[in-house]
Amino acid sequence: MTDFDWTERFQGTAALPPAVRKRLNNTARVIHVKKGGQVFGPANIPDSLIFLYDGRIRVSQSSDSGREIVLYRVDAGESCVLTTACMLAEEAYNAEGIAETDITAIVLPKPAFDRLAAEEDAFRNFVFSAYSRRLIDLLRVVDDVAFGRIDVRLAERLLALGQGSKQVHATHQELASELGTAREVVSRVLNDFHKRELIEQSRGVITFKNKPGLAAIAESS
Amino acid sequence: MTDFDWTERFQGTAALPPAVRKRLNNTARVIHVKKGGQVFGPANIPDSLIFLYDGRIRVSQSSDSGREIVLYRVDAGESCVLTTACMLAEEAYNAEGIAETDITAIVLPKPAFDRLAAEEDAFRNFVFSAYSRRLIDLLRVVDDVAFGRIDVRLAERLLALGQGSKQVHATHQELASELGTAREVVSRVLNDFHKRELIEQSRGVITFKNKPGLAAIAESS
DNA sequence: GAGACTTGAGTGACAATGTCACTGAAGCCG
DNA sequence: CGGCTTCAGTGACATTGTCACTCAAGTCTC
């Protein structure tokens, strides 16, 4: 049982009748995960739907050889359907969710999920659109990886991670994991960006010197 | 209205009460598409759920530069949720579905879909698991493209396309589109396979000479 | 049957990316 | 200060993608 009303936070639950919301507050569980902690992974598949109340989760996939690629991020107010997907399809997969900040999440057990999906249109639509959203996200990842150039993708990602700020705090290795490439490749490209005076570098930090320039590269898809 | 009872063909509808099945037969539409025809595409997003009654659909994504990659295939008895996904998320995407054989499909309009999803557990579960299945498929594609070697993937795909048969009828260009790579790359790798006496080649046809050998390559992930 | 055309495949040179095996530099901590 | 750990740089080489071709196998037309 939860000690605060989280249902107002989600599109799929805010519209529900008060009685249903009350019931939800009684059946769902709240979890907290520290920044950097694993929310779910190959060894830990919750048989529940996860609602992210606060914080951000990074969902990535890793290869046998140790490389890694970020698939998408789950923001507060969204739900993470991948776990339920993997639950249904009993296949091996190696995606994991890492808390990118300290997070607060609501765990809704499968029976409650089923009942809600059956009874409430708003909730069902919310779940369907969550699935859709992730499908689209993955289409984008496939497109990028299969057809995109590394410099374009890196410029794009740097700007996305920068988000208004003048700096990005990330090691080359972390950036490589974002794109599913190798650290050396990121080093090379960043070096090139530096030579073109688009960025400054120091250990673990990248400072924008010419955002429009980077944006131009990012656009040149 | 349909003139035969297709509902027995699908997991999500076979279990429904006769009355509901009858209603479905009255509201759904049947379409036929010739081999090679487009079932859906960027310019043609049906606002309906598609059930594939007979045949096979190949779903692929293409890049601006003209390259293409096969995402997955929809077999008879399955539904194609991608269209509904794209419908919900109003984003640009460039996936398309091509009839790989002559196909017969059932088109269920959105209102009927909504009603069914609300009322019938079996149907709802069917749709959820269809979504899950595709999510998993895409995870696999991402993994392959981001981390897989071309020779491994090609060997794998050849065996999959061969399916028991001794031959695969496909041009190098078609195989390149399967994997999201360029024709020249496929030509090189096939040439290599030929030198190692794993296959024979002639215009548009590849003949297996040593399936276990190919399988060994495919396994060496 | 002899060209003309279309489509499929081969090739070499080069560019982009990935891998390997290092080296060196920056920060941390006793 | 010296030893550790983590991060970043580098050169050599392998793999994959791109470009600009050529050649070969079918098809069509006359």
Side-chain angles (χ1 to χ4, degrees):
Chain A
M1 152 158 187
T2 59
D3 56 351
F4 62 100
D5 185 11
W6 53 269
T7 58
E8 61 190 11
R9 194 90 165 212
F10 299 91
Q11 262 193 31
T13 54
L16 301 179
V20 177
R21 292 172 60 177
K22 182 143 195 212
R23 196 180 76 213
L24 275 179
N25 273 307
N26 286 337
T27 51
R29 220 157 36 78
V30 176
I31 61 169
H32 297 276
V33 180
K34 290 277 176 209
K35 175 173 174 173
Q38 190 189 65
V39 185
F40 64 89
N44 164 29
I45 311 174
D47 64 341
S48 332
L49 183 65
I50 295 178
F51 289 96
L52 187 56
Y53 182 78
D54 193 48
R56 191 167 56 239
I57 298 175
R58 182 182 65 237
V59 178
S60 60
Q61 188 175 42
S62 48
S63 76
D64 306 329
S65 59
R67 255 161 69 197
E68 195 180 343
I69 184 169
V70 172
L71 300 174
Y72 56 80
R73 288 177 161 81
V74 182
D75 285 311
E78 300 181 337
S79 82
C80 183
V81 293
L82 186 59
T83 54
T84 62
C86 297
M87 209 176 66
L88 283 171
E90 310 252 338
E91 289 201 45
Y93 74 106
N94 35 15
E96 66 171 359
I98 300 291
E100 208 159 39
T101 64
D102 288 359
I103 66 165
T104 304
I106 317 298
V107 175
L108 188 65
K110 185 146 197 323
F113 169 82
D114 284 337
R115 180 165 170 197
L116 217 52
E119 293 175 354
E120 300 295 338
D121 291 359
F123 180 80
R124 197 170 47 248
N125 289 333
F126 176 73
V127 175
F128 277 134
S129 75
Y131 265 103
S132 301
R133 171 97 187 267
R134 296 318 168 196
L135 266 178
I136 301 284
D137 285 345
L138 287 186
L139 285 185
R140 177 63 199 262
V141 173
V142 169
D143 193 281
D144 281 357
V145 173
F147 309 128
R149 293 175 49 89
I150 281 285
D151 51 353
V152 174
R153 293 173 60 210
L154 183 53
E156 213 170 58
R157 194 57 66 106
L158 280 176
L159 291 170
L161 292 172
Q163 267 309 46
S165 161
K166 276 180 136 52
Q167 295 190 326
V168 175
H169 287 264
T171 65
H172 293 189
Q173 178 58 65
E174 283 163 355
L175 292 172
S177 295
E178 289 281 335
L179 306 180
T181 182
R183 180 192 57 79
E184 295 92 320
V185 175
V186 170
S187 292
R188 275 204 293 249
V189 176
L190 285 180
N191 225 313
D192 180 55
F193 285 176
H194 181 207
K195 276 180 193 149
R196 292 155 72 179
E197 302 191 348
L198 299 167
I199 59 167
E200 285 292 333
Q201 297 193 69
S202 75
R203 197 182 171 84
V205 185
I206 295 171
T207 309
F208 295 117
K209 284 292 160 191
N210 179 355
K211 279 201 182 185
L214 276 179
I217 293 176
E219 297 307 316
S220 68
S221 64
Chain B
M1 154 157 186
T2 60
D3 54 352
F4 61 102
D5 185 9
W6 52 268
T7 59
E8 62 191 12
R9 193 91 166 212
F10 299 91
Q11 262 192 29
T13 54
L16 300 178
V20 176
R21 293 172 59 177
K22 180 141 196 218
R23 196 180 76 213
L24 275 179
N25 273 308
N26 286 337
T27 52
R29 220 157 37 80
V30 176
I31 60 169
H32 297 275
V33 179
K34 290 276 177 209
K35 176 175 174 172
Q38 189 188 67
V39 184
F40 64 88
N44 164 28
I45 311 174
D47 63 342
S48 334
L49 183 65
I50 295 177
F51 288 96
L52 187 56
Y53 182 79
D54 193 49
R56 192 166 58 239
I57 299 175
R58 181 180 68 236
V59 178
S60 60
Q61 188 176 42
S62 48
S63 76
D64 306 329
S65 58
R67 255 162 69 197
E68 195 180 343
I69 184 170
V70 172
L71 300 174
Y72 56 81
R73 289 178 160 81
V74 181
D75 286 310
E78 299 180 338
S79 82
C80 183
V81 294
L82 186 60
T83 54
T84 63
C86 297
M87 210 176 66
L88 281 171
E90 310 253 339
E91 288 201 45
Y93 74 107
N94 34 17
E96 65 171 0
I98 300 291
E100 208 160 38
T101 63
D102 287 359
I103 66 165
T104 304
I106 316 298
V107 176
L108 187 65
K110 184 144 196 327
F113 168 82
D114 284 337
R115 182 167 169 193
L116 217 50
E119 294 174 357
E120 301 293 339
D121 291 359
F123 181 79
R124 198 172 46 247
N125 289 334
F126 176 73
V127 174
F128 276 133
S129 76
Y131 265 102
S132 301
R133 171 98 187 267
R134 296 318 168 197
L135 266 179
I136 301 282
D137 285 346
L138 287 186
L139 286 186
R140 177 62 200 263
V141 173
V142 169
D143 193 282
D144 281 358
V145 173
F147 308 128
R149 294 176 49 90
I150 281 284
D151 50 354
V152 173
R153 293 173 59 208
L154 183 52
E156 213 169 60
R157 195 57 66 105
L158 280 176
L159 290 170
L161 293 173
Q163 268 308 44
S165 161
K166 276 180 133 52
Q167 296 190 327
V168 175
H169 287 264
T171 65
H172 293 190
Q173 179 58 63
E174 283 163 355
L175 291 172
S177 294
E178 289 281 336
L179 305 180
T181 185
R183 179 191 58 79
E184 296 91 320
V185 174
V186 170
S187 292
R188 274 204 295 249
V189 176
L190 285 180
N191 225 312
D192 180 54
F193 286 175
H194 181 208
K195 277 179 192 149
R196 293 155 71 179
E197 302 192 347
L198 298 168
I199 59 167
E200 285 291 335
Q201 296 192 71
S202 77
R203 198 182 172 84
V205 185
I206 294 169
T207 309
F208 294 118
K209 284 293 160 192
N210 179 357
K211 278 201 183 188
L214 276 179
I217 293 176
E219 297 306 318
S220 69
S221 63

